[in-house]
Each structure stands twice: as C-alpha cells, then as structure tokens.
Amino acid sequence: MLKDDKLIKAYGDTYNDGKIQLSFTLPIQKGVEAEEAARIYCSKLGLKDIEVVHMKDLREGFTFFVVYAVADVLVNTDKINVAKIEAEEMSYYEINDYIKDKIERNLTVVGACTGSDAHTVGLDAILNMKGYDGEYGLERYPQFNTYNMGSQVPNEKLIEKAVQENADAILISQVVTQKNIHVKNLTEFVEILEAEGLRDEFILVLGGPRISHELALELGFDAGFGTGTKPNQVASYISQKVYEKFENNN
Amino acid sequence: MLKDDKLIKAYGDTYNDGKIQLSFTLPIQKGVEAEEAARIYCSKLGLKDIEVVHMKDLREGFTFFVVYAVADVLVNTDKINVAKIEAEEMSYYEINDYIKDKIERNLTVVGACTGSDAHTVGLDAILNMKGYDGEYGLERYPQFNTYNMGSQVPNEKLIEKAVQENADAILISQVVTQKNIHVKNLTEFVEILEAEGLRDEFILVLGGPRISHELALELGFDAGFGTGTKPNQVASYISQKVYEKFENNN
Amino acid sequence: MALKLDLDQQLIDSCREYTSEIADEIGKKISKNTTTSVERTVLRLLGVDGVDQHGIPLPNVIVEKVKEAGELEKGISYWFGNALLETDLSVQSLAEEISKDNVDLLNIPRRDQKEVYNYIYNLAKEKAAGIKENVEKRNELMGKYPPGPQPWLYVIVATGNIYEDVKQAKSAARQGADIVAVIRSTAQSLLDYVPYGPTTEGFGGTYATQANFKIMRDALDEVSKEEGHYVQLVNYCSGLAMPEIAAMGAIERLDMMLNDAMYGILFRDINMKRTFVDQYFSRMINAYAGVIINTGEDNYLTTADAVEEAHTVLASQFINEELGLRTGLKKEQLGLGHAFEINPDIEDSFLMEIAQAQLVRQVFPDAPLKYMPPTKYMDGDIFKGHLMDGMFNVASIMTDQSIQLLGMLTEAIHTPFLQDRALSIENAKHVFNSARALSHEITFKADGKIQKRADQVLEETAEILKEISDKGLMKSLSEGIFGDIKRPMSGGKGSDGVVKKSSEYFNPFIDVFKEELKIDAEGR
Amino acid sequence: MALKLDLDQQLIDSCREYTSEIADEIGKKISKNTTTSVERTVLRLLGVDGVDQHGIPLPNVIVEKVKEAGELEKGISYWFGNALLETDLSVQSLAEEISKDNVDLLNIPRRDQKEVYNYIYNLAKEKAAGIKENVEKRNELMGKYPPGPQPWLYVIVATGNIYEDVKQAKSAARQGADIVAVIRSTAQSLLDYVPYGPTTEGFGGTYATQANFKIMRDALDEVSKEEGHYVQLVNYCSGLAMPEIAAMGAIERLDMMLNDAMYGILFRDINMKRTFVDQYFSRMINAYAGVIINTGEDNYLTTADAVEEAHTVLASQFINEELGLRTGLKKEQLGLGHAFEINPDIEDSFLMEIAQAQLVRQVFPDAPLKYMPPTKYMDGDIFKGHLMDGMFNVASIMTDQSIQLLGMLTEAIHTPFLQDRALSIENAKHVFNSARALSHEITFKADGKIQKRADQVLEETAEILKEISDKGLMKSLSEGIFGDIKRPMSGGKGSDGVVKKSSEYFNPFIDVFKEELKIDAEGR
Ligand code: B12
Ligand code: B12
Ligand SMILES: Cc1ncc(COP(=O)(O)O)c(C=O)c1O
Ligand SMILES: Cc1ncc(COP(=O)(O)O)c(C=O)c1O
C-alpha cells in the first residue's frame, strides 16, 4: 500500500499493519479463563490477532492485562472535519497594535475557575502578568483590562462581574472532569446566560487540559483551548473576534 | 451493578465503567486533524468517551497517541470455554514413581527448536539437567530418556530422530513469531507426520512464550505450554498422556 | 542514615532558633483562644456522637447553643460537665437531650468550677485511656504483622464511595502497599463540621467520617492479618474541623494524618488564628494517639517553582517541626512533607532533587519524611510518567526517605484506576528492591553540584526564617511568604469560630495530654 | 571519567599480560593462514562488485575458481594482479570476464611475483586513499553536525525491508537518536557470501548488502544535515563474510560495526581458525576506516547467568581489546560490549550492575563502551519494561558509558514498533538530561557492596585469563569457557575456507594498512 494513501490504519512496523496496544483490568480471577475473557473482550471490539502479552493478578478478583492486537478499521484522512479556531496567531506587540489600530479601545476580560474547581494554575497562566512558557499573560497587555476572579467561583457571580465590567469576553477554566462535572457546570453557565438574554454580549472562551475546541463549541462556547495554550493565542483570538463583531455591527 | 454479575467489562475505578487504555501510531502529521483521526479510529472500534490524552510527533509523518476510552461491550463469564491441559501437576518424585509404577518402562522424549529458531533457552529450561525456576529438567529424571537436538533443526531431521529413538513424545520450541513464521513451520511439521502416517505414534508438545494450549490444538499438537512453564508440568502431562494411551490400547 | 552532605550545623541551629522565636509568637495567640471546633472536639472525645433530626452533628448543635449564648469563653467542658453532674445522664444521652432541647445547658444549676473540673478531668482521663488502648493495639499488630522496610509504599484511593474505596484499598494492600490514604472529598476542609455515617457520594474523594474510618480500618485489619503485613490508614486532619478529625482518628486507630500548621491558611483561606489554635489541639491528640502526621509542604510547589522556592519548603518544615514538638509530637511522628517537583527538562534537575531530599533527610534525621511524587510536570504521556515516577523512587532510595507517596502514571489524566495503582506499587517495589542499599553505598562530591545546591537552599532558608522571626509568622503569611499566596491577617474562613478564653476556661484533655506527653510550661 | 572504584592496578596489569600471551598464540595461527573470505575481500577492496548470471557475487566466483585449482595459497592478489597486467582490463571488467570464463586466471602467462606485487600494491594504496577520503568526510560531517554528548543513543531498525527501515531510521534520527543499527536478517552470519543489491525480504532484520548500506547512509546523511546532528550508521561485521562486510562498510562510510573476535565461534559455530583469521583482516579494515567496533560480550549473558558469569564478560573484553589493538584499532575504536542483565528481583541487583559497569569503565578508560539493555528479564509487562530500561539508563549515566543501545519496552514481544523506539529515545533523553552530571557527583564507599563486587569480578577475571593463557584460547573455547558454550577446536562452519599460505603469499592491503596504521612486527 502506498504511503500517501488516504485510508490509514495504525502503524507498528509495516505500513497499515493496524497494530495497537491496549491495557485494562477485568473483574475476574487471574487464570486461563481470565486470559480468554480478555481475548473475547477485545474481539468484541472487532480486534484481530489478539495477543495477551501480560496478565497480572491485582487480587480481590481483578486481573490486569496488556494486549497487542490488530485494529482493522480505516480512517479516511480526506474526510476528517475538525473545527479550528479561526484566528491568526499574533505576538504580544502585534496584538496590542491590532487593538489600538482597529478597535481603538481597551478590551475587557473576566476569567474564573468555576464551580468547585480550584485549579487556578492554568487560568493564571493565561491571565496573570507572568504568563506561560515565555509569553506574557493578559494582565500585562496594555490593551487589556483583565479581571481574574480565581477559584471556585459560582456561575452567577462570574456573570454578575462580567456584566458589571462590561466585559468583551468571559474566560472559564475547568480542570476537574471527574464524572463529567465540567459538562454539567458549563452547560448550566450557558443556560443562565441564555435565560438572561446575555449570550451574545460576550465572547465565551473555555480552557483546560481536557478541553478541545470541538467540545467548547458543543457546549455553546465560542472557543476552547487545551493543554499547552499560550496567552498570546488567546489574546489573538479575542481581539480578532471582537473586531469581527465590531465590523458586523457597523 | 453487582460484583458477582456474570457480565463483565473493564474496570477503571468503578465497577464495569469499561475504561481501557490504548496506544498506537498513525501515519499522519501531528495536529488537530491527527487528533481527530485518532478519535475516529477509536470510534470505529465502537469505543466511547474517547480521550486523546497524549500526542507525540514521531516525525516523517507519523504521530503517536495515548488514548483512554470506554469499551462498552460485555463478556459473559459463564460462557468462557477454554481448552485446558488435562493433567494433574505432580512433583519430580511423584512423576518418576508414576512412570515406574504405572508404565513400567522409561519414557523417551526428543526436543528441538525447529526451523530457523535459535532460541534454545526455553527448551533447555524444560529439558536440561539444570531445569527452571527450582524444578529439575527432564534430563535429570531417571525415568526419562531425553534427547535435546538444540537449535535450528529442520522438521525432517527431528522426525527422523524421533522415529529412530522410538520416542513417546516430540517437544518443539518456537520463540520467533514474526510474520507468523511459527505457524507455517509447525503446520508443515504436522503435515509431514500425517503424510508419513506417523501422527499417532507421538505425543506432540509445543512450547514458547507466544504459545497457548489453544493455539497448539489448532495446529494439530496435543498440548501447548507458554511463558513460565516448569519442567514438572510438562513431565506430568507426558507421563499421564502416555499412560492414557497405554490404557486405551489394552 | 548516611551523612552524605557536609552541612553547616551552625546554620541549622540558627534556623531552629529563629523557628523557636516564631513559635513563641504563635504560642501566645494559641494560649489566649479556643475555637468552636476545639470545643466540639472535647465533646467528641468525651463520647458525643451522632446527628440531630436535621442531620447536624451533635457536637455542633451543643457548641453552637453555648456560643450563641455568648458563654463559650468558659469552655464547653464546664457546661457539659456541669450538666452531666446535674442530670446524671450518660454522655450520649445528655447530648441527645440537649439537641432535642430537653436539657438547656445554660439554664440548669451551675456547680462550682472546681467540682466540675475534677469530674470532667477524671472522665477525660478515662477516655484518654481508651485512646491509649488503641496505641497498644497498633503496637501489638505492628509487632505481629510487621510493615515493610522504609520507604513505605503509600497509595491513595479516591473513588468517592467508601465501599469502592475498600476494594481498591484491599487490592493495593495485598499487592504490598504499606499505607492507604483515603482521599477526602474536595474542600471538606471548608465544612465547619464532620459529615456523619458511611458515605458513597464524595467528589474527587470520600468524606472523612467516623463511620468511613471504621469501615476502612476493619477492611485493612482483615488484610493485615491475612497478608501478615500491617497496613496503615491515613486521612486528612485539616480544615475547619481539624481537631475533631484528630479525635475521630484517635478513636478509630488511624495511623497517620495529613496535618499541617499552615495548609488551611494558605490553601483553603482559613483564618490564621483559627488554624493555629486548631492545629495545636489536633496535634496534641495525634501525639497522644501515636499518629504520624504528614505536613503539606508539597502543596507549595503546585503553584510556586520548585527550584526557586525550595527554601520555603525547608523553612516551613522547620516551622512545622517546632510547632509540632510543642504539642508533644515526638520527632518520630513528624512526617515532614516535600516533593519531587522540579521541571525534569532542566539539565541536572535530578541532582537538584537529590540535593533537596538529602538535605531534608539530614536536617531532620529522625523524622519519617513524606516524599510526594512528581505531579506538576506529568502529562498525558503515561510512559514518560511511569519513568518519572521511577526516577522519583530512585531519588527516595538514594536518600533514605521514609514514606513514599507513590506517583501514578496517569497523574495528568484521572484519579487512579486500579491498574495505575498496581503499576505504581510494582514500580516502587522494583526500584527499592533492586537498589535497596544504594544510599549506603554512595557519597557526594565535596564541591559538587549536589552539595552546592544543598548549601544554597539551607542558606536561603536561614535568611527567610530570620525574616519571618523578625516580622512574625502571621504578618509574613499575609505578605505571601509561602507558595506565592497572600492571606489577610484577620480574614479567612472560620474566624467567627475563634473565641477568646475567659480566665475560667478549661479543657480537661489539654491538661491530661500535657501531663501524659510531658509538655512543660513553655510548651516543649 | 571519575574514578570511583579503588581497583587493584596490578591485577589489571596481569590481566593484560595473560591476554598478551593469549594473543601471541592466536597471532601465530593468523599469520600462517588466509581464508576465502579474506581473499574475496581483497577483490572487493580492489573494486570488484556485482554478481554473475546465477546471482553469485563475483568475488566468490573468482576466488572459488582459484581455490578449486588449489592455487589460493599464493593469494588472490597475485592471480588477479597478474591478469590485470596481462589483460589490461579494468578491475570490474576483468572480474566480469573471469566470471564469464572469458579469462582464466590460471591459464594466462604468469608474471614475476615482484612485478605483480608492486603493481597491485600501488593499486591497493590508491584504493586505500579512497577509504581515507571517507574518513575525512566523516570527520568533516561530525564537525559540522556534531553528534550529541555520550552516552550516545543507539537504536535498531529491524523490519527486513530496507525501505521500511529507512522510514524508521529517519524518524528515530529526527527524534534524537545518535546511532542507527540495521539489524541483519537472522543468521546472515552463516552465508559464505554477501547478498547483492537492495533487499526487502529479510527475516527479523534486513540483509547486509552494499546497496542497503548505501541507501541507509544516504538517508541518514540527509537527516544529519537537516537536523544538524550527525547520525552514525552501524551494521554487522560478523560471520563467514566478516572481512567483506568490513570492506563494504569502509566503502560506504559506516561508522560502527558489530565485530567480535569470538562471536562467530561461540554463537554461530563457525570454525575457530576461520574466525580468528577473518577477524584480523576485518579489524584492520575497520581500523583504517575509522570505524568503532562493537564487541559482543552481551551475548554471553543471554544463556549464562549475569551474576555468576560476570568475569567471563570482562575476560572476553580483555581479549577483544588485545586482539583489536594488534590490528591497529585505536583504544578509542574499541566499543567493548557489556550488558545490564542481572535478575532485577535480586536485592541490590542494581548495585551489582553499577559495580560491573563502573569496573569496565575504569579498566578501559578510553574505550567507547557499548552498553546493552536488559532483555532476559523483560516480559510482557511493558510498563515494568519501560522502568527497567530507565534503570539501565540511570546505570549508564552514573558510570559514564559511551554507547547506549536503547532497551525497548516491548523486548519480550516483538521487534520494535515505531512508537516503542520513540518511547525509548524519550526515556534515555529524559534520564541522561536530568542526571547529566551524576557520575561526577558521587563516589562509592570504600568497603561497600559495589566496591566488593567489582573486586570479586576482577579477581575472577584474572584467574580465568591465567587459565586461558596456560591452556590456550582455542582449547579453552573448546571446553566451554565463555557463555557455557563448547566448540570443537577443528569443527564448525567455514573450515573449508581456511587456506595455508605459501611462502609466496601476499595481500597488498595488509601491507598498506600495516604501514599506515603503524603496526609493528609483533603486531602492535
Ligand atoms: C496542581 C494541581 C492541584 C493543586 C492546584 C493548585 C492551584 N492553585 O491550581 C491542588 C493540590 C490544590 C490540587 C487539588 C486537587 N486536585 Co489537582 N492537580 C494538580 C495537577 C498536579 C496540575 C494542574 C496544573 O497546575 N497544571 C498546569 C497548568 C498550566 O496546565 P492546565 O491547567 O492544563 O492549563 C493550561 C491549558 O489547559 C490552558 N487553560 C487552562 N485553563 C484555561 C482557561 C482558559 C480561559 C484558557 C484560554 C486556557 C486555559 O492553558 C493553560 C496553559 O497552557 C494536576 C495533574 C496534572 N499533572 O495535570 C492535578 C489534577 C488536575 N487534580 C485532580 C484532582 C482530582 C484534584 C482534587 C479534586 C483532589 C482532591 N480530592 O482533593 C483536589 C481539589 C481541587 C479542586 N477543588 O478543584 C485531578 C483531576 C482529575 C480529573 N480529570 O477530574 C488531576 C488530573 C490529578 C489526578 N490525576 O487525580 N490539584
Ligand atoms: C535470549 C534471546 C536471544 C538469544 C538466544 C540465545 C539462545 N541460545 O537461546 C540471541 C541473542 C541469540 C537471540 C537472537 C535473536 N533473537 Co532473540 N531474544 C532473546 C530474549 C531476550 C529472551 C528469550 C529467552 O531466553 N527467554 C527465557 C526463556 C526461559 O523463556 P521462553 O523462551 O519463553 O521459555 C519458557 C516457555 O515459553 C516455555 N517453553 C519454551 N519453549 C518450550 C518448548 C517446550 C516443548 C515446552 C513444553 C515449553 C517451552 O518454557 C520455558 C520456561 O518456562 C527474547 C526477548 C525476551 N525477553 O523474551 C528475544 C526475542 C525472542 N528474540 C527475537 C528476535 C527477533 C531475535 C533475532 C531473530 C534477532 C536478529 N534479527 O538477529 C535473533 C535470531 C534468533 C533466531 N534465529 O531464532 C524477538 C522475537 C520477536 C518475535 N516475537 O518474533 C524477541 C522477542 C526480542 C525482540 N523483541 O525483538 N535472541
Ligand atoms: C495538609 C493537607 N490537608 C488537606 C489537604 C486536602 O484536603 P482538602 O481538599 O479538604 O483541603 C491536603 C492536600 O494535599 C494537605 O496537604
Ligand atoms: C558481534 C555480533 N555479530 C553478529 C550478531 C548477529 O548477527 P547474526 O545473526 O548474523 O549472527 C551479533 C548479535 O548480537 C553480535 O553481537
């Protein structure tokens, strides 16, 4: 098969051999039956050439498995459609100039870790002076008025603050995703905004290590930023989005 | 759900949450499309709640992924049917006594690493004096005549020797399984025996780290021994099997 | 323990002098005040348990009544003791009657202070004897089912459901874990009471309740016996109910407690005075109950940089040590915390980790140091994560650490799966076994990077402790001396629970514990 | 390199004395014989390439003809040189004409020995100059695109298909691999010729052919340039075609070669004399081509126990060193091999690994030691496997190893997947970077386990070398001194290729190399 084929599969050591690695635990006592159970479990996923290469007794009736197998399904790379943030990445200086030249006023952003989330490091990385990975945070930008409300902020309080400061954008960080708590929390946030007729007042930006742009859109946000986001990427997005809104309104 | 339920799934931290870990490489440039490709690939396996937690650029157009997901399929533990070696495990002394008492003659075994396989350590572990994991090898058993032909033995030569020594059992070790070379090799072995009408003359025992009893049966062997096999397990099996044959013939 | 670093002992001594001054300041604050939680703890130690018809714990109900009446400054012991004498009810019955408003503590005849004190002091002695039995029981079990060699393997369970936790804990214990910590539902620190009964719906962890303590203790005792290996149980003695949890732990024979002098202030924005008073009494209970405390310096490094702020960890350990010793904790009970959190992409970062770990080891030779794993630089690459945990284990065995909180390869992804924990135990056992004697085999070069780094951290520590002792700890905290976090001196949660003691105040347990722990007038 | 062990230098010196005696015995055998493969190599070095109509390589065709005529004892150089002079054909045309039976080497006029010698000697000098150009090119590239610091990251590719290998090699090189070895199709050692052309169907590896060498060299040169980091290429200079492969490597600018004095005897049952003669000439070529050789002591530990047989590894290294130096290899070209193969379940096994690695490091301070990863105790638990590879990397950086053959987490399962190799590179980079200066920071306790273990191994090594020097190496090998393997003195494969030299024998390349490498009469 050719390398530039559009139909791809996993690659172990031969093009499209489909080789993948799995590990999981089954609630079954270690033994030949357990090994067979692992094989059946994998075969129900449509896997082929299943090799249970390791079994470990975790006691209390649990067994851990490492498996190699062939996943004989294809991805058509021509048909991958993924929403992307439509903003050109600019530098600190470019962004400030852009806002000065095109929007001609300061932008205001309000950010928080909402609900019971107390992981402030990610939000701080975007908002605080210090910034992240060599990039200044939004507080440092002369063209941004930045309000960082910190951790465990109730949705209502955040909205109140955004209204009060006449914010252009609301930034939410969600790190804890256990039992999909973030989905619940974020859905509620958008519902309140909509109920109050405020949804279109703000650009809604979501961030966190388990957040994708896709998910953010699904939840009714305008953009989502994941692991490794740098402040200038967020600032680029917000300023271009505000300008776009401004253009549309004129 | 109850712990003693017969329908099981993977267990992460909640009974039957179905959580599994995967890793694989796709021939696609790292980026959001690649991440989506990984997600599509997993969803084609029927996986749910797919989280691509890590992506690494392997260069040359390859990306490595670590994924957690939910495998929402069930294994019915009541319906697991797995062939097991039907022999009671005996100790060195018990085996020798068993042969002396019940079979009343020495048993003869011939072993080899066949084809191009040069991995003798596993076969030696079973056959040589020294043995394995605290258990003596078959050479040490007074009731066994043991011939270890070593590595890279052609199938024909092994059969020749077995006939010559009037062996009770033929032991084959296969360690290299790349491109299923072992399957080819072992199938050929059984075909030769059958063609020569010798199949029922010998107990055929297969061993190696990627060998299961199941596979051995499929390939026409009488028993298969995998990782961690001890010599006494093999000796127990052979002696009981010979006795069974002997009984059947009388 | 091998002395591998040549440290300036004078500098270490002056660190302890500064810390002593710091502790003197705090001591004054502590001695003048009590808190609602301390008073609730007295009730718990006397035997009050259960909740009222609204689900509010009886200790809260009773203390609140007295507090509302503005009479808590005398101490709950007087009021409750008086009522016991007056009503002749059992401790628990009295508590229940009070909650049902059948007895009004403030509106019954008031006996003489002295008489009540004597009565309640004897009752306290009796109750304390019960705790001592637990200590003896622990010693007996530890003798019969000896725990493994140090570093001990410490794992967490965090399902939120005590019954699910039990499965995971037993599985880990049977695989060789020495210590199981039940992670608490997030921000339980902020609850000004202790939830009641067995619980199954925690968030990111399971509520610390007395029933949950008991369920887990029983499960681990069962495994300890079957595996011939005593498994220690840990929970969080932190937050607004800190001393109450100490009492519950003493009663249910927990073996270790996360218990830090400043964690609540810094990481939960709890009022300073409240925290210092609470930690004092809670530690005294832990001291008496033979519990090893685990301090929380690792938390500093989740926000601050581990290279730049290394000295704040050591400074905080000195403070935790001094405040701890003043509550009667023995050196062997001071599980001072630190962590392997330097950015591993820094060249020779491992050498800096070794420097820090060995420095701490030598400065606190008798402390059962608790070493926390890499978390900050863990990402979704579970294979690299497993390796980092391995390096952490190497650092530990190289520097004679005592309590090893095992890192999880999935740290950046989810709370531990059963298999993650199993792999971590395997990792630690592998490294510890194959390099068991490593720390005894090596010494560090006199002018090497490790020695220099340790010297530097020690010097910076002395400087900062001097600064704190000059300024006072409370003021320093308000200026953000630790973990980059600033806390107002009189702000924070729970300040309304701080009550100035009247001259008649007494707390019989403090007296009993002081006697038994032989704490002298200066609090040492 | 830090001297951490206090070793008995006298013992080391006597090891070298014994080895010198051992080498004298072998030297005598070598000087009396040539082999078909040595003669084929002469042809290759002169420029003969290609195959005949049956696909048989021309060097084989030509040497076979002379051998069949019983005239190889004079050396192929005479016959081929004579024909060149007589026919006036180019080297390659002559070779082709011979293969087509248009020229019969033995049935053309025979010129004077002296005249032919002079002619062919000059031709050899010219060809040697070509090899020198490769050395200069390598030096230039290494200067321009400097390789990383040692330990160098050495990875293998093993798909069996040279084009698939190229992808994997480039991917690894771009991730930071310093060295790429193309694993050879299994048992190529036993082929008494070198396959021809690009190949895509190897078994467990890819055939070593000149075309494959070139394809991979070009690919790596491309990456070296793009990444600014010279990537070294390795293949196997082993087996019945050992010297021919050395010649091909010299021509295609390979940088390293697996090339052991005894591997073929022990692990491929190749005749002893054949092996010793072949390794001599092959090493001379490697020496001249600036190639680092990798010896194969790691192989011993795949069958023998790494604790019990540690001294045989060191003894074999001494022998490989001495035989190597006598062929003109510089100490800096002696990549002596050893391995991290002690059962990790043994308490303090890691200390024993450190002892061995440091011992070897100090005994051979200038050698670019090649350290092989754990393989024997790897199983299907890839997570534990990754950790073991990490411990191996720690051992390496702690003891200043030079060439690190990266372990793969899937060692027990399959030949490396692309991702396995990537994880191994990540593992090594992580450990090496974070503990870069570790070896300079630590010393070992004078009477510690590490020191004692090293002393013990060194003592046992001296004993066994004495025994071998008394008995002779060939006899010792026949008795199973290494790797538990016994080989009959005159048995083994390829013995029919050994030819006693006549007094008129000459090999112009040996003379050229001896001059240039300044090898004196005694072969040092
Ligand atoms: C540090 C830390 C803590 C610290 C937090 C200190 C603080 N002030 O933030 C402390 C110790 C307090 C803590 C506590 C807990 N933690 Co915690 N913690 C972590 C840890 C180790 C690192 C997180 C971090 O700081 N990452 C660094 C930052 C820079 O990365 P980031 O958050 O991804 O941010 C980047 C992007 O995502 C993005 N981004 C993030 N937010 C935003 C917002 C916007 C608007 C934008 C544009 C971008 C953006 O940009 C940032 C820069 O690139 C992680 C594990 C790990 N290694 O990831 C666990 C982790 C997140 N914690 C976890 C848990 C469960 C807890 C607790 C609930 C445990 C407990 N029971 O007590 C508590 C409670 C916390 C709470 N109520 O929320 C789990 C979450 C599991 C899950 N998926 O749900 C993790 C994954 C650990 C684990 N495996 O169990 N934790
Ligand atoms: C040692 C070793 C070698 C040694 C072998 C020395 C020798 N004399 O045996 C040397 C260095 C020579 C070698 C060479 C090669 N090896 Co190798 N080798 C290994 C290694 C590291 C260990 C194998 C071993 O000894 N295991 C210990 C024994 C005791 O275990 P065991 O074989 O499983 O045996 C037990 C059971 O399986 C069972 N058993 C086994 N046989 C039998 C027979 C009977 C009758 C019974 C009843 C039971 C039984 O009982 C035994 C005791 O419990 C493995 C990797 C690994 N860690 O497993 C690679 C490995 C097996 N080798 C591999 C390869 C590819 C090769 C080469 C082809 C590489 C090359 N291109 O040159 C060569 C060629 C070998 C050949 N022609 O066969 C691959 C195989 C991949 C695959 N699945 O196909 C492996 C997995 C490494 C890898 N990841 O690439 N190898
Ligand atoms: C000393 C201490 N107490 C308590 C906690 C966490 O408990 P909570 O979330 O209830 O504050 C920690 C967390 O690491 C800690 O170190
Ligand atoms: C020195 C040496 N040569 C050659 C080989 C393998 O090559 P072959 O399989 O062709 O013998 C090895 C294997 O490790 C080796 O160490």
Side-chain angles (χ1 to χ4, degrees), chain C residues 157-158 160 165 182-191 195 199 201-208 235-236 268:
Chain C
V157 296
D165 281 348
V182 180
I183 297 298
R184 213 158 76 161
S185 181
T186 184
Q188 188 180 338
S189 278
L190 303 183
L191 303 182
T199 71
E201 300 242 300
F203 176 65
T206 306
Y207 286 102
N235 212 294
Y236 291 74
R268 292 296 176 199

Side-chain angles (χ1 to χ4, degrees), chain C residues 184-190 236-238 258-260 263 268 294-296 298-299 372:
Chain C
R184 213 158 76 161
S185 181
T186 184
Q188 188 180 338
S189 278
L190 303 183
Y236 291 74
C237 185
S238 262
L258 272 78
N259 183 223
D260 189 283
Y263 169 85
R268 292 296 176 199
N294 297 167
T295 64
D298 53 289
N299 292 291
M372 300 288 288

Side-chain angles (χ1 to χ4, degrees), chain A residues 159 170 189-199 202 204:
Chain A
I159 294 173
I170 301 178
F189 174 79
V190 175
E191 281 171 3
I192 300 178
L193 271 187
E194 278 171 351
E196 300 190 6
L198 293 168
R199 172 62 189 88
F202 310 107
L204 300 187

Side-chain angles (χ1 to χ4, degrees), chain D residues 129-155:
Chain D
I131 295 176
K132 204 173 243 167
E133 270 171 36
N134 271 344
V135 176
E136 278 153 19
K137 175 92 183 178
R138 178 192 297 120
N139 291 339
E140 183 202 320
L141 290 173
M142 280 227 183
K144 224 155 119 188
Y145 313 123
Q150 291 184 340
W152 281 330
L153 276 50
Y154 177 125
V155 297

Side-chain angles (χ1 to χ4, degrees), chain B residues 2-250:
Chain B
L2 287 172
K3 170 83 210 297
D4 53 14
D5 205 320
K6 296 301 172 205
L7 296 174
I8 63 169
K9 254 188 229 174
Y11 175 102
D13 65 355
T14 309
Y15 197 69
N16 276 0
D17 55 22
K19 294 274 190 178
I20 68 168
Q21 174 269 327
L22 298 92
S23 78
F24 52 84
T25 299
L26 289 178
I28 187 169
Q29 190 62 47
K30 187 181 167 190
V32 282
E33 282 86 2
E35 192 177 335
E36 187 60 19
R39 224 176 270 120
I40 296 171
Y41 192 59
C42 290
S43 71
K44 290 210 170 176
L45 295 171
L47 298 175
K48 299 184 180 154
D49 286 353
I50 298 153
E51 282 198 76
V52 178
V53 298
H54 179 62
M55 254 203 300
K56 184 183 165 86
D57 185 358
L58 302 192
R59 313 292 299 274
E60 300 288 312
F62 291 99
T63 305
F64 172 60
F65 302 89
V66 178
V67 172
Y68 279 81
V70 169
D72 214 356
V73 293
L74 289 162
V75 176
N76 188 334
T77 53
D78 272 350
K79 296 211 176 133
I80 296 174
N81 261 317
V82 51
K84 278 193 226 175
I85 293 175
E86 307 283 350
E88 206 187 314
E89 189 172 331
M90 301 185 286
S91 74
Y92 173 79
Y93 299 99
E94 287 167 351
I95 296 166
N96 283 313
D97 289 346
Y98 181 97
I99 301 176
K100 244 189 293 184
D101 296 351
K102 299 209 163 185
I103 314 183
E104 298 174 329
R105 64 168 174 88
N106 268 18
L107 302 188
T108 299
V109 299
V110 177
C113 302
T114 56
S116 60
D117 211 314
H119 292 89
T120 53
V121 179
L123 184 70
D124 287 348
I126 305 299
L127 295 186
N128 288 7
M129 285 284 173
K130 197 175 162 188
Y132 188 66
D133 210 5
E135 281 291 335
Y136 297 139
L138 266 58
E139 270 183 13
R140 178 80 173 246
Y141 285 67
Q143 302 301 321
F144 274 102
N145 307 328
T146 306
Y147 300 90
N148 182 346
M149 299 181 68
S151 81
Q152 304 195 323
V153 177
N155 284 327
E156 294 78 2
K157 267 214 163 153
L158 173 57
I159 294 172
E160 204 178 295
K161 178 82 178 173
V163 170
Q164 179 189 321
E165 302 297 344
N166 199 4
D168 295 287
I170 300 179
L171 282 69
I172 294 185
S173 181
Q174 288 278 281
V175 174
V176 178
T177 58
Q178 246 187 353
K179 294 172 183 151
N180 277 327
I181 179 80
H182 61 309
V183 172
K184 223 177 88 190
N185 209 16
L186 294 165
T187 308
E188 192 203 80
F189 174 79
V190 175
E191 281 171 3
I192 300 178
L193 272 187
E194 280 172 350
E196 300 191 5
L198 293 168
R199 172 63 189 86
D200 295 330
E201 300 298 304
F202 310 108
I203 299 167
L204 299 187
V205 180
L206 180 58
R210 302 264 81 80
I211 302 298
S212 65
H213 182 52
E214 201 99 357
L215 176 68
L217 295 183
E218 252 172 57
L219 295 171
F221 281 68
D222 294 307
F225 291 87
T227 300
T229 306
K230 293 185 191 182
N232 67 314
Q233 296 171 327
V234 182
S236 299
Y237 169 74
I238 294 175
S239 50
Q240 291 169 39
K241 187 81 183 176
V242 170
Y243 180 64
E244 189 185 294
K245 261 188 156 176
F246 171 81
E247 287 275 86
N248 287 349
N249 292 351
N250 287 25

